[in-house]
Amino acid sequence: YGGLIIMISIVAPIHNEEENIYEFVERTASTMNRDFGKDWELLLVDDKSTDNSLSKIKGVSSKYECVHYFSHDTRSGQTGCFQTGFNKALGENVITIDSDLQVFPEDIPLLINRMQEGYELVNAIRNKRKHHPLIVISSKTYNVLMKIFFNCPVKDAASNYTAIKTEFVKNIKLVDNDHRYLIPIVQRRGLSKISEVEVRH
């Protein structure tokens, strides 16, 4: 796997998402083809799913020139999926997004348009969240702690829906639950121009 540098790499961790894969890929591809032509790639990283996710990933990736997949032999969580995606990404910008359709692939252009204003990282703020109130409260507590301990400058650090200049995550070493602290980690790597946009949930 490899090729010329492109504009956008989208990294989507997958674990037992067989019900969502086709819709997620089709909606993502439709959005990206419309707004960016062929200047993108979608990297599906299967984290040792125990359902039919991997076979569905193989099937749907064969339909789209810009969709590629990688599979883990052992579970490594979102952190491991991000690291695999970052290291394989060919894009100048990399976007992390969950494949469970809780956020809209159609909102990816919002992040990219803001990146094109000169930012190095654009984080998505999930607007009007549909989660159970306890999850929302837990997330708000997490964001407060991220602000206190890491001076994290974003409002929704737990969204996992983020656009980043690839140079700040290439060959990055992530362990355990480092995906939760990705923004402070890339800040320590020199990233400083950060913005946010609201997305649907």
Side-chain angles (χ1 to χ4, degrees):
Y1 173 73
L4 298 175
I5 297 297
I6 56 176
M7 182 181 179
I8 306 158
S9 295
I10 304 161
V11 175
I14 293 174
H15 180 71
N16 294 348
E17 292 288 353
E18 63 178 358
E19 301 298 327
N20 298 319
I21 288 168
Y22 286 159
E23 182 180 352
F24 171 73
V25 172
E26 288 174 1
R27 286 171 57 182
T28 301
S30 176
T31 299
M32 301 305 290
N33 284 333
R34 182 195 67 213
D35 285 25
F36 303 102
K38 299 288 186 181
D39 204 15
W40 63 278
E41 63 178 355
L42 171 60
L43 308 181
L44 305 171
V45 185
D46 181 68
D47 194 36
K48 199 172 176 56
S49 293
T50 56
D51 63 0
N52 292 317
S53 290
L54 184 55
S55 63
K56 290 194 173 186
I57 289 169
K58 291 178 179 178
V60 75
S61 64
S62 67
K63 292 173 54 181
Y64 296 96
E65 179 184 348
C66 297
V67 178
H68 312 284
Y69 74 90
F70 306 92
S71 60
H72 291 165
D73 293 329
T74 57
R75 284 292 308 276
S76 59
Q78 282 193 312
T79 295
C81 290
F82 282 177
Q83 178 156 310
T84 295
F86 293 159
N87 289 338
K88 298 293 186 180
L90 301 177
E92 296 177 356
N93 306 287
V94 62
I95 293 177
T96 60
I97 183 173
D98 290 335
S99 58
D100 58 10
L101 295 173
Q102 289 194 30
V103 292
F104 286 51
E106 291 84 357
D107 287 340
I108 289 174
L110 296 176
L111 280 72
I112 292 299
N113 289 342
R114 183 61 60 85
M115 288 286 282
Q116 291 177 331
E117 295 176 14
Y119 292 100
E120 297 166 330
L121 184 150
V122 176
N123 192 60
I125 303 171
R126 293 164 292 179
N127 193 24
K128 298 179 181 178
R129 291 179 61 181
K130 306 298 191 297
H131 281 142
H132 187 280
L134 287 177
I135 295 178
V136 175
I137 292 170
S138 175
S139 182
K140 287 182 177 180
T141 302
Y142 168 78
N143 286 324
V144 169
L145 293 174
M146 287 288 284
K147 184 73 173 178
I148 292 172
F149 290 107
F150 298 105
N151 196 27
C152 189
V154 301
K155 295 179 181 178
D156 192 359
S159 76
N160 279 341
Y161 197 1
T162 310
I164 311 169
K165 283 290 183 185
T166 307
E167 62 189 272
F168 293 103
V169 293
K170 207 65 174 177
N171 300 317
I172 196 170
K173 300 297 183 185
L174 300 176
V175 297
D176 299 327
N177 287 310
D178 276 357
H179 71 278
R180 300 183 184 278
Y181 314 108
L182 186 58
I183 295 176
I185 288 171
V186 293
Q187 283 185 284
R188 291 187 178 185
R189 288 185 135 209
L191 183 147
S192 60
K193 299 174 183 176
I194 297 174
S195 186
E196 293 185 277
V197 294
E198 288 193 354
V199 300
R200 292 165 287 180
H201 186 243

